[in-house]
Amino acid sequence: MKLRTKLAQQGRKARSQPGTVNLPVARASTVVFDSVEHLHEVQRRFDADEPVPTYGIANMPIRAAFEELIAEVEGGHRAVTVSSGLAAVSVAVLSAVSAGDHVVLPDSAYGPGRRFCLRTLKRYGVETTIYDPLVGAGIAALMKPNTKVVYLENPGSHTFEVQDFPAIAKVARERGAAVIHDNTWATGIFFPSFEHGADLVIQAATKYPGGHSDLLMGAVVANEAWWPRLRDTHRDLGQHASPDDVFLALRGMRTLDVRLRQHEASGIEVARALEKHSKVKRVLHPALPSDPGHALWKRDFKGAAGLFAIELAASEAQSATFIEALELFALGYSWGGYESLVVPAHIEGMRSVRPWTGGPLVRLQIGLEDPSDLIADLEQALAKIG
Ligand SMILES: *Cc1c(COP(=O)(O)O)cnc(C)c1O
């Protein structure tokens, strides 16, 4: 079956009467058993790693269905569900490190995940080195005997640097470090992380899998070798996502492929229009031939998300005027929903290796509106900055 077929077909095994297209939401702490023998039998299957429910936190059918499907989309072995994308970052990293270990993390990584490594992980005796996302095979120079995690985010948050993923993953493999990739931007549909050498893949399901700005959830997908460590760490940390949110995320997954292709097309159309504008100094979008990461994007990706940034030829005050003049772009964090969003990308305090020295950076999430309306809105707002 092709992926698009799986998105519609998988995880729908009828488990209730009457049979319905979608699985029902079971709100539950307790799973009840028919007999002691039944309880022991289910527990034996659970211990043998079958996705059978024993308690509300473990393997409830709707969650098992979501995990099966997201593992399929990312091209991995199995997945766990967590309460947010940020929790997916921490669960993935905690699965791969012990006290005394060393992590290397790109300067362009999602800010709160970076802070988790530099602040909380540090308290547990794990050291983090921030690296230039464009380092490529040069990552070898940063590897220490205790480097256990090589983290990637391709492309990076806010500045969208494209990493030489295969080159970095190859070095990590040779040195015995786990390759962890935050694949939220592209998803497995546009970037097959495991084929490029990942061991653990992070997906903020809040974004494209959910797709409607109405839930917070994350997932971590492992290859076969890393699955037992991910499963045990996830279980020990007591991570969970509510069945209502899992229902919505699974529902969002059914249309993930078609939505992504529209976000891609509209995003490129809007980016091209902005590139021509005199008030826009640079468009940071790897699918544009003018982008420094374009060649690598073309080599490794199958498509582009609808999230990119623009550098304005303007002052900070003019940037705020532009943002507030927008009528179709709501001002707020997060992205991946059907609606367009804008946020000033204040990355100054979040970069240490490649500090941002350009003008005001504004991040745009291109939603499913007609792109000509979005372009007209952006143009009228740019005109307001004089
Ligand atoms: C949003 C985001 C996250 C975190 O997801 P939340 O569900 O908002 O916690 C992680 N990584 C990337 C790249 C993101 O954009």
Side-chain angles (χ1 to χ4, degrees):
M1 265 196 274
K2 298 281 194 300
L3 182 58
R4 277 202 241 186
T5 310
K6 287 176 181 167
L7 285 171
Q9 292 287 333
Q10 254 175 245
R12 277 178 30 198
K13 287 184 205 99
R15 288 179 177 93
S16 67
Q17 290 299 328
T20 50
V21 170
N22 296 294
L23 286 173
V25 174
R27 297 165 178 275
S29 52
T30 301
V31 171
V32 292
F33 303 95
D34 301 334
S35 63
V36 172
E37 192 192 319
H38 181 215
L39 181 148
H40 287 159
E41 191 225 310
V42 171
Q43 196 61 50
R44 260 195 306 279
R45 289 174 56 200
F46 179 81
D47 293 341
D49 215 6
E50 280 185 53
V52 289
T54 52
Y55 185 55
I57 205 166
N59 300 324
M60 293 302 282
I62 199 135
R63 205 181 95 191
F66 174 79
E67 289 169 349
E68 186 187 327
L69 193 54
I70 195 105
E72 197 72 66
V73 168
E74 292 298 334
H77 175 60
R78 281 177 69 175
V80 296
T81 305
V82 298
S83 56
S84 68
L86 180 55
V89 173
S90 61
V91 167
V93 174
L94 287 169
S95 296
V97 295
S98 304
D101 287 347
H102 175 235
V103 171
V104 292
L105 188 95
D107 210 14
S108 51
Y110 175 66
R114 171 194 181 113
R115 197 169 48 219
F116 162 73
C117 290
L118 293 174
R119 185 165 66 187
T120 297
L121 216 48
K122 188 166 177 249
R123 287 201 292 113
Y124 291 85
V126 177
E127 182 202 359
T128 299
T129 299
I130 304 296
Y131 71 88
D132 181 343
L134 304 181
V135 71
I139 193 85
L142 298 172
M143 301 291 287
K144 302 181 186 185
N146 61 340
T147 306
K148 290 292 162 62
V149 168
V150 172
Y151 191 101
L152 296 101
E153 186 180 317
N154 199 20
S157 278
H158 298 298
T159 37
F160 302 92
E161 295 91 343
V162 182
Q163 301 199 258
D164 190 343
F165 197 109
I168 294 172
K170 183 166 175 278
V171 172
R173 281 278 147 113
E174 286 164 2
R175 308 292 179 95
V179 175
I180 301 183
H181 182 216
D182 185 334
N183 200 24
T184 300
W185 187 81
T187 80
I189 290 176
F190 287 157
F191 188 84
S193 307
F194 290 100
E195 283 175 27
H196 288 304
D199 293 301
L200 293 161
V201 172
I202 292 155
Q203 185 57 239
T206 307
K207 312 290 170 58
Y208 286 132
H212 296 75
S213 306
D214 54 5
L215 66 94
L216 278 158
M217 229 177 92
V220 187
V221 185
N223 59 16
E224 210 165 343
W226 277 95
W227 167 248
R229 271 294 276 281
L230 173 64
R231 176 200 60 208
D232 293 349
T233 307
H234 174 260
R235 199 174 289 167
D236 292 350
L237 290 170
Q239 270 288 338
H240 182 59
S242 104
D244 293 300
D245 288 344
V246 178
F247 178 89
L248 289 173
L250 185 56
R251 178 182 163 118
M253 293 287 280
R254 303 301 181 191
T255 56
L256 178 62
D257 189 280
V258 281
R259 283 187 290 108
L260 263 178
R261 284 173 207 285
Q262 190 58 54
H263 285 295
E264 172 184 40
S266 299
I268 290 172
E269 193 176 331
V270 174
R272 286 216 177 107
L274 287 169
E275 209 176 17
K276 297 193 199 100
H277 202 284
S278 63
K279 291 283 174 234
V280 178
K281 201 157 155 198
R282 209 183 125 197
V283 180
L284 293 78
H285 190 315
L288 295 183
S290 61
D291 190 272
H294 185 66
L296 280 179
W297 173 79
K298 224 171 150 178
R299 187 191 71 186
D300 295 341
F301 286 77
K302 297 178 189 168
L307 183 82
F308 62 93
I310 52 175
E311 180 191 346
L312 294 174
S315 65
E316 276 298 339
Q318 287 173 316
S319 166
T321 302
F322 159 69
I323 289 170
E324 288 171 4
L326 288 165
E327 284 168 12
L328 298 178
F329 290 76
L331 169 58
Y333 293 107
S334 206
W335 51 277
Y338 58 86
E339 82 293 9
S340 291
L341 292 172
V342 62
V343 78
H346 292 302
I347 56 167
E348 297 78 15
M350 280 287 183
R351 300 290 159 102
S352 48
V353 182
R354 291 177 75 82
W356 178 255
T357 52
L361 197 61
V362 176
R363 192 185 71 181
L364 298 171
Q365 126 89 7
I366 304 304
L368 301 176
E369 301 92 341
D370 193 297
S372 64
D373 286 333
L374 298 177
I375 292 167
D377 190 31
L378 288 159
E379 282 173 351
Q380 67 78 21
L382 283 167
K384 298 241 161 68
I385 66 182

